[in-house]
Amino acid sequence: MQGKILISALMAVLIGAGALAGNQGKPGGNKAHWQQQKQERQAHRQQMREESKAFQETLKGLSAEERAQAMQEFSEARYQKNVTFNAQQYQENLAQLKENLAANSNLTDAQKAEIVSFFEQQHLENTEFNSQRHAANTAFARELQQNASLTPEQRRQQMKEHRRTDAAERKAHREQQQAERKAFWNKTCPGKGDCHQPGGKKGKKTGQASGQCAKQAAE
């Protein structure tokens, strides 16, 4: 019984995870903004951990069918909460990015629009990627749960291997986006003074580089 409860809990964590990964941007140099967002993410993750722990307790004494249904409902609810949270932080980051760009007098309107478009595109790519991973994890968990020929140990091993695969795909996605960001910023702001905000002379180290601020948008 305990082994089955553990597998169900692992499935729930796997399916519900990932919406936070690689989906947050840093579009500006506002220290208070980033501190607030960090605190919000920490609080959100803590809430998810507490809910997962409480969920494991509710699985005790349930039949296999009841556990599978409860796990599926919990996982979907967890995923949707993460999606909603990420969307909220994305909108806050996008607003901060636009505010920083509006204060920049060295970028053209076309350059500013290109930066915003790039930020939005990477967010869309992250959203679609997380949706695909969630669907794949849900399908795998359902298949594993329904396979009556597996022993508890075999289920644990297959879940462990699937989690490694999931983590590897997420890492590859992050690295791909990082490469895209590097190429974008090398093209958009090739010189250190190209994207400076008011407050420092072009080419000097004084002042905050708006390009550098925006560069953090999808990192």
Side-chain angles (χ1 to χ4, degrees), residues 108-122:
T108 67
D109 289 343
Q111 287 174 314
K112 294 177 182 180
E114 185 178 11
I115 290 172
V116 171
S117 177
F118 177 78
F119 179 56
E120 292 174 331
Q121 178 60 34
Q122 286 226 318

Side-chain angles (χ1 to χ4, degrees), residues 172-185:
H173 175 72
R174 290 194 301 270
E175 291 176 347
Q176 177 184 346
Q177 286 216 322
Q178 288 169 358
E180 292 174 356
R181 288 195 292 273
K182 182 177 180 180
F184 176 79
W185 296 117

Side-chain angles (χ1 to χ4, degrees), residues 105-169:
S105 61
N106 296 313
L107 292 171
T108 67
D109 289 343
Q111 287 174 314
K112 294 177 182 180
E114 185 178 11
I115 290 172
V116 171
S117 177
F118 177 78
F119 179 56
E120 292 174 331
Q121 178 60 34
Q122 286 226 318
H123 171 72
L124 178 60
E125 291 174 359
N126 281 328
T127 300
E128 293 177 346
F129 175 81
N130 285 327
S131 177
Q132 292 170 358
R133 292 310 311 154
H134 173 66
N137 290 338
T138 299
F140 177 82
R142 185 182 298 111
E143 179 182 352
L144 194 63
Q145 188 71 27
Q146 293 174 350
N147 191 341
S149 67
L150 297 175
T151 65
E153 179 58 31
Q154 288 174 327
R155 285 194 175 92
R156 281 193 291 270
Q157 185 60 34
Q158 289 195 22
M159 175 58 68
K160 185 178 180 179
E161 293 175 357
H162 182 79
R163 293 180 70 183
R164 280 201 295 261
T165 300
D166 182 73
E169 294 202 17

